């Protein structure tokens, strides 16, 4: 990876919470290229969410630095380079679907993506005027994804976004995300507890150790794209999953 390809560089990130009793992260360093899809897995409670929050300037590291296109994390956030998708879609119940998707444009007063076209991309055409209470869990998360992309972020930070969705909807959302990611070229950090999901989506999988989390393993995923659901049934795919499961154990 050459320097001009890098969009995110983390150097010696550590995080100890103020009471000093919990050290979440220790000496994590990596570089990520523009347009990469990075899946992050690790034991429950190891600090995956903390890492995402540090990258997006929601939480400050105790030590270490984050650089995004030459800016620090705070400068990058203020320039609108990040967008977030969490497990809870956090839709405003009194706003219709199109109004929820348009919300970042109203707040930031900029954006290059048409909310209606994003709704079509995510299979939500015809639901523009529905309220969140009228949507299924999978549809709500599609609205959250569309909203996250309205202002054309450079980096999409996703913290277990499909964890609360049923298996069939989750598989469909994975396919949607992979397709949209390839079309728009956004850099993605994707936290998940599903090893299979991590492998299916990623260019590289970051494996964190138990707390305090270190970057234990980085595994390149070489399966060609576009990927389909049948890939997950193949022996080479399952072998990668088994390898990562051993790393977690």
């Amino acid at each position: 990876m050459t320097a001009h390809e890098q969009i995110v560089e983390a150097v010696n990130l550590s995080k100890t919470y103020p009471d000093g009793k919990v050290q979440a992260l220790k000496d994590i360093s990596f570089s990520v290229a523009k347009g990469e899809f990075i899946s992050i897995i690790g034991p429950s409670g190891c600090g995956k969410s903390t890492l995402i929050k540090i990258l997006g300037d929601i939480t400050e590291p105790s030590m270490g630095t984050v650089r995004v296109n030459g800016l620090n994390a705070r400068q990058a956030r203020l320039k609108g380079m990040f967008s977030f998708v969490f497990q809870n879609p956090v839709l405003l119940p009194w706003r219709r679907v199109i109004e929820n998707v348009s919300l970042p444009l109203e707040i930031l007063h900029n954006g290059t993506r048409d909310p209606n076209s994003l709704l079509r991309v995510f299979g939500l055409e015809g639901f523009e005027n529905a309220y969140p209470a009228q949507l299924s869990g999978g549809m709500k998360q599609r609205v959250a994804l569309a909203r996250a992309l309205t202002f054309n972020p450079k980096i999409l930070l996703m913290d277990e976004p499909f964890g609360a969705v049923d298996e069939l909807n989750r598989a469909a959302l994975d396919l949607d995300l992979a397709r949209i990611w390839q079309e728009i070229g956004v850099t993605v950090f994707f936290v998940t507890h599903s090893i299979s999901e991590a492998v299916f989506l990623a260019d590289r999988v970051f494996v964190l150790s138990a707390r305090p989390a270190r970057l234990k393993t980085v595994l390149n995923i070489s399966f060609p794209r576009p990927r389909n659901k049948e890939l997950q049934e193949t022996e080479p795919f399952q072998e990668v999953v088994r390898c990562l499961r051993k790393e977690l154990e």
Side-chain angles (χ1 to χ4, degrees):
M1 186 185 303
T2 59
H4 74 274
E5 293 175 317
Q6 294 177 0
I7 189 170
V8 177
E9 183 178 24
V11 179
N12 300 127
L13 292 181
S14 296
K15 177 65 176 180
T16 301
Y17 286 96
D19 59 10
K21 296 179 181 178
V22 177
Q23 184 174 19
L25 308 177
K26 187 171 183 179
D27 296 330
I28 291 180
S29 298
F30 56 80
S31 295
V32 170
K34 180 180 179 182
E36 268 198 285
F37 196 118
I38 304 297
S39 290
I40 303 172
I41 61 174
S44 182
C46 73
K48 300 182 292 295
S49 295
T50 299
L51 178 58
I52 286 284
K53 290 174 182 177
I54 288 173
L55 295 177
D57 191 45
I58 295 176
T59 298
E60 292 187 2
S62 302
M63 295 182 62
T65 59
V66 175
R67 304 294 293 177
V68 181
N69 266 5
L71 306 174
N72 63 39
R74 177 67 48 82
Q75 292 168 328
R77 178 177 61 79
L78 293 175
K79 286 179 70 70
M81 296 182 69
F82 302 120
S83 195
F84 297 86
V85 182
F86 300 104
Q87 185 169 335
N88 186 332
V90 199
L91 304 179
L92 299 179
W94 61 88
R95 292 178 67 111
R96 300 177 190 273
V97 164
I98 188 63
E99 295 165 341
N100 269 285
V101 173
S102 302
L103 185 60
L105 306 183
E106 297 173 23
I107 295 172
L108 298 173
H109 303 294
N110 63 24
T112 58
R113 299 194 185 280
D114 173 41
N116 283 291
S117 66
L118 282 168
L119 290 177
R120 288 193 294 273
V121 164
F122 282 103
L124 292 165
E125 192 171 15
F127 291 90
E128 295 88 347
N129 293 314
Y131 289 99
Q134 298 171 299
L135 305 178
S136 68
M139 292 172 73
K140 290 177 184 177
Q141 206 61 315
R142 284 184 169 87
V143 175
L145 274 167
R147 180 184 59 193
L149 296 172
T150 50
F151 62 95
N152 199 22
K154 303 300 182 186
I155 300 167
L156 188 58
L157 300 170
M158 309 185 74
D159 191 359
E160 295 190 65
F162 309 146
V165 178
D166 67 78
E167 185 176 354
L168 289 176
N169 267 311
R170 186 168 185 157
L173 284 164
D174 286 341
L175 287 169
D176 282 346
L177 177 59
R179 174 174 53 83
I180 299 305
W181 165 76
Q182 283 198 273
E183 288 178 7
I184 67 178
V186 66
T187 305
V188 178
F189 289 86
F190 186 92
V191 171
T192 179
H193 277 106
S194 169
I195 300 173
S196 180
E197 182 176 59
V199 174
F200 180 75
L201 290 170
D203 293 315
R204 290 189 290 164
V205 177
F206 288 4
V207 182
L208 302 187
S209 69
R211 195 174 62 232
R214 298 174 182 268
L215 186 52
K216 183 180 181 183
T217 303
V218 177
L219 185 66
N220 293 319
I221 306 299
S222 58
F223 300 116
R225 298 184 185 273
R227 298 170 186 169
N228 56 41
K229 60 184 180 180
E230 287 75 21
L231 170 66
Q232 299 183 52
E233 306 302 323
T234 66
E235 180 57 27
F237 186 93
Q238 291 302 320
E239 180 58 32
V240 173
V241 171
R242 287 194 290 269
C243 175
L244 287 170
R245 186 171 289 116
K246 287 179 181 178
E247 288 290 332
L248 288 175
E249 292 172 354

